[in-house]
Amino acid sequence: MIFCCPHCGGPLADGDALVACVNNHTFDRAREGYLNLLVGGRLAGSTTPGDTAESLQARRRFLHGGWYAPVAEGLDTALGRVDGDVLDVGCGEGWYLTRISATRKNGLDISKRAVQMASKLHRDAQFVVGSAHRLPVRSESCAAVFSVFSPHSLDEFHRILEPGGRWVTVTPGPRHLEEMRPNKNDSTLQRESRRVEPPTGAESAERITFELALAPDAALDLFTMTPLQWQTAASASPTATVTVDVWVARGDKP
């Protein structure tokens, strides 16, 4: 197991119903098979970190509809065949893990609902609830790590990668979904100007751009699964024709 205790960093001894570290910090395995390794115990019942249930269901419908297949193909090409453990940071409901080749697949998300959905989709993978900026993962335990449209830390990527391991990120380009956000303020324009260049730290990067002509229900799902639904200042709304513009960036640990 690549995961470690979020309290002391010790390795976890695997078990069917319970895992424990050498310092006797224990974690119950949920019925779906995942572990909750979110630091600080369990959040209050009124707190919902990460994506909402509505957003996750929309993402599942949209991604499984194949609309982002070119993005997944770019990710798979950048990763290559992974001989060892791969970790999807910000895995959501798990679709991108179905589109890559690896000996052992693992996923992490701060959303408990997302991890529940991913665990049901991938019975042969290991999932945990945890923070992307303080990964409960053993140092130098992963052959590859990737993140698609999710917060991530390159410092953490380098820590958990074994020598020669590879990281890949998929991040928005300057024109990504521009039709759904017609009004642009100064901060939006500054963000777009930064996205013209590949992400900082990448050794190589491919820019993938294509147009989608969406059915009305797919357009609504795409809108709902992104942060656009909260950007009222941009008068964001679903549109049937959208531009997909992403950077697939890659780096290798020496």
Side-chain angles (χ1 to χ4, degrees):
M1 179 185 291
I2 65 170
F3 297 105
C4 65
C5 177
H7 301 295
C8 65
L12 294 174
D14 205 355
D16 292 337
L18 189 76
V19 299
C21 71
V22 293
N23 291 315
N24 293 320
H25 297 124
T26 60
F27 306 90
D28 294 326
R29 189 178 293 280
R31 182 177 62 255
E32 295 87 352
Y34 69 87
L35 299 171
N36 193 331
L37 301 181
L38 196 59
V39 173
R42 306 300 176 253
L43 298 176
S46 59
T47 303
T48 306
D51 294 320
T52 64
E54 180 187 23
S55 175
L56 288 165
Q57 291 295 341
R59 178 176 299 180
R60 169 149 291 181
R61 289 190 298 266
F62 184 84
L63 293 177
H64 284 257
W67 298 103
Y68 269 10
V71 177
E73 290 167 5
L75 169 67
D76 183 47
T77 299
L79 279 172
R81 167 71 187 182
V82 180
D83 184 15
D85 280 285
V86 64
L87 174 65
D88 180 356
V89 175
C91 64
E93 52 76 51
W95 183 73
Y96 286 102
L97 274 174
T98 70
R99 305 302 298 265
I100 63 155
S101 300
T103 308
R104 293 178 297 276
K105 298 180 180 182
N106 306 270
L108 173 146
D109 202 286
I110 199 170
S111 167
K112 181 178 176 180
R113 287 193 181 99
V115 170
Q116 287 173 330
M117 292 175 67
S119 295
K120 292 177 181 177
L121 182 65
H122 296 277
R123 294 295 185 182
D124 58 345
Q126 176 65 67
F127 292 92
V128 301
V129 182
S131 169
H133 293 287
R134 189 182 175 186
L135 295 169
V137 178
R138 293 186 291 109
S139 297
E140 298 190 351
S141 62
C142 296
V145 57
F146 70 92
S147 181
V148 182
F149 299 131
S150 295
H152 56 271
S153 165
L154 289 185
D155 287 341
E156 279 290 86
F157 282 7
H158 280 279
R159 179 184 67 80
I160 69 172
L161 282 173
E162 61 188 30
R166 173 167 295 175
W167 62 262
V168 175
T169 61
V170 178
T171 56
R175 298 185 58 210
H176 189 55
L177 307 184
E178 62 183 2
E179 295 85 356
M180 287 192 178
R181 42 184 177 85
N183 296 341
K184 301 179 182 180
N185 54 31
D186 289 343
S187 62
T188 301
L189 293 172
Q190 291 174 5
R191 183 170 61 248
E192 289 182 354
S193 67
R194 292 194 298 269
R195 291 174 175 175
V196 170
E197 299 296 329
T200 302
E203 295 176 12
S204 63
E206 177 188 10
R207 187 173 171 184
I208 299 175
T209 305
F210 56 96
E211 305 290 329
L212 288 178
L214 300 170
D217 57 345
L220 180 58
D221 281 340
L222 175 58
F223 182 75
T224 303
M225 76 185 219
T226 71
L228 288 171
Q229 61 178 317
W230 313 114
Q231 296 179 7
T232 54
S235 297
S237 61
T239 56
T241 302
V242 293
T243 301
V244 179
D245 179 10
V246 303
W247 286 106
V248 180
R250 184 177 83 183
D252 295 322
K253 181 175 179 177

